[in-house]
Amino acid sequence: DVFNGISLSDFAEASQIASYEFYQLMLFAMRDNYPKTAGVMPWVFKRPWTAVGIQLVDGSGFTIAPYYSVKNAYAPLSVMLRLPEMCFAAGEEIPFTGVIFKDGGKGLSGKLRVTVYSPRLLKSFESITDFDFTAEKTELFCGSFTLPEEFEDKAFIVSAALETEDKTVKTFYFPKCLKELSDDKARAARREAPSPNPIYKNGPWLKETVQSAGTTEIAAEVVETHSENGKSIVKIALENKGVLPAFPVKLAPAPGASEEIPLFYLSDNYFLLEPNETKELVLTSAGGNLYDGFEISGWNFKAVTLSL
């Protein structure tokens, strides 16, 4: 019954976003628990390296949403929030412990900004914590947030943005506040041992939450194109010009584009672009015709078409 009325494209989109969340949570948990987890990628025990599976690319070889959560989780510089759960009850307090991972022993300083966006995509909480460390991993307590009643039976978004002088690295989460967890005994029983995932027959749905909150505006332009080691490199500047975060910001061939567009990957994709935020997106391709049309699209803004 859950799948009645859903189109194939909507089902593919929903499964990709859910997979993005699953891989992000799993891989950051493995990094956080290193060396107990040995630091290996969890799906390659029986697969000859360097094969790639359908959980990361589609049938034509183009990268899909989970590819980018894997890429970001294993990046040389990344940040996670050690959230105790992904489903909460109204009135619960969520502590935010940020964990920063980096390669090498050079010093790193900056700010860790944690933001909670309500189901209406309005800023409900923000904390800014300074950091300055040299270790490959550090932990920061970034405050806590008590879920108000208006969050009940709705999804919401939490962003962790690591801001340094040179770059911003971000990880985002979409927890849920569930009425079924409002009973203290039932909630404790569910959490004291591994339990099946909840089945959301009537929501809350993340896409519905984002779409019903209002719209924002995304501006995008190509700022540089060049060739490097036989590959085509395109740099694209994005800006969220509205007062609401945009999600998921996705670049893909525009509808009706030629099937001859060569395989490509991006520095990031399916990401959260916060109000007034700017971001540079880098597209890398094996070459060939990239001028047939690309599109920046998402759930709560008008799509932007680009000629690369």
Side-chain angles (χ1 to χ4, degrees):
D1 292 343
V2 175
F3 298 104
N4 284 346
I6 189 170
S7 67
L8 178 60
S9 60
D10 286 345
F11 176 69
E13 178 186 65
S15 64
Q16 285 193 47
I17 298 300
S19 297
Y20 186 110
E21 179 186 43
F22 172 78
Y23 277 114
Q24 174 180 274
L25 293 172
M26 176 178 64
L27 297 181
F28 271 125
M30 293 184 74
R31 289 197 74 176
D32 195 25
N33 283 284
Y34 179 83
K36 293 180 180 179
T37 51
V40 300
M41 288 183 284
W43 58 83
V44 300
F45 293 119
K46 296 183 179 179
R47 178 175 292 156
W49 196 248
T50 57
V52 66
I54 58 172
Q55 68 267 47
L56 299 180
V57 300
D58 65 15
S60 298
F62 288 98
T63 54
I64 58 176
Y67 170 89
Y68 293 96
S69 64
V70 173
K71 177 179 182 294
N72 293 337
Y74 280 120
L77 178 63
S78 58
V79 60
M80 65 169 280
L81 289 178
R82 194 182 289 150
L83 298 176
E85 305 285 341
M86 289 301 292
C87 294
F88 300 91
E92 277 199 280
E93 185 179 44
I94 307 176
F96 296 120
T97 299
V99 184
I100 301 173
F101 305 95
K102 69 178 182 65
D103 289 351
K106 293 184 178 180
L108 184 71
S109 61
K111 300 179 184 296
L112 179 57
R113 184 186 305 269
V114 177
T115 308
V116 176
Y117 290 100
S118 75
R120 294 186 295 155
L121 298 188
L122 300 177
K123 189 181 294 185
S124 297
F125 169 88
E126 183 176 71
S127 71
I128 301 174
T129 307
D130 294 326
F131 61 82
D132 188 353
F133 69 102
T134 57
E136 292 191 351
K137 174 183 174 182
T138 194
E139 302 177 12
L140 302 168
F141 179 67
C142 303
S144 59
F145 174 68
T146 300
L147 292 172
E149 292 293 331
E150 67 184 61
F151 279 47
E152 190 168 79
D153 270 347
K154 293 181 174 64
F156 58 100
I157 295 175
V158 180
S159 167
L162 184 157
E163 301 169 352
T164 70
E165 183 178 351
D166 300 325
K167 65 192 302 185
T168 296
V169 175
K170 185 182 299 178
T171 303
F172 53 89
Y173 302 86
F174 19 92
K176 295 177 176 66
C177 180
L178 302 179
K179 186 175 183 179
E180 66 183 72
L181 296 179
S182 59
D183 181 86
D184 293 344
K185 291 184 178 179
R187 185 170 69 250
R190 179 172 183 82
R191 292 177 178 175
E192 68 182 7
S195 301
N197 287 330
I199 296 177
Y200 309 110
K201 289 187 177 182
N202 300 304
W205 313 121
L206 178 65
K207 185 173 184 177
E208 182 180 88
T209 297
V210 173
Q211 289 182 325
S212 64
T215 59
T216 186
E217 180 185 356
I218 298 298
E221 64 173 338
V222 177
V223 295
E224 182 183 337
T225 60
H226 68 275
S227 296
E228 186 177 304
N229 299 323
K231 298 179 180 179
S232 297
I233 310 294
V234 181
K235 294 184 179 180
I236 302 164
L238 299 175
E239 180 183 3
N240 184 350
K241 303 180 74 173
V243 297
L244 301 178
F247 180 81
V249 181
K250 177 185 72 171
L251 184 145
S258 169
E259 295 182 359
E260 297 179 0
I261 289 178
L263 294 178
F264 65 89
Y265 62 92
L266 295 152
S267 54
D268 200 4
N269 213 4
Y270 299 86
F271 51 85
L272 177 76
L273 197 64
E274 299 186 63
N276 301 312
E277 182 182 4
T278 60
K279 184 180 179 76
E280 182 182 82
L281 205 58
V282 181
L283 181 151
T284 303
S285 167
N289 177 26
L290 284 173
Y291 296 91
D292 197 38
F294 281 73
E295 183 179 77
I296 306 285
S297 64
W299 291 342
N300 64 333
F301 60 92
K302 184 179 180 181
V304 179
T305 300
L306 295 173
S307 178
L308 304 188

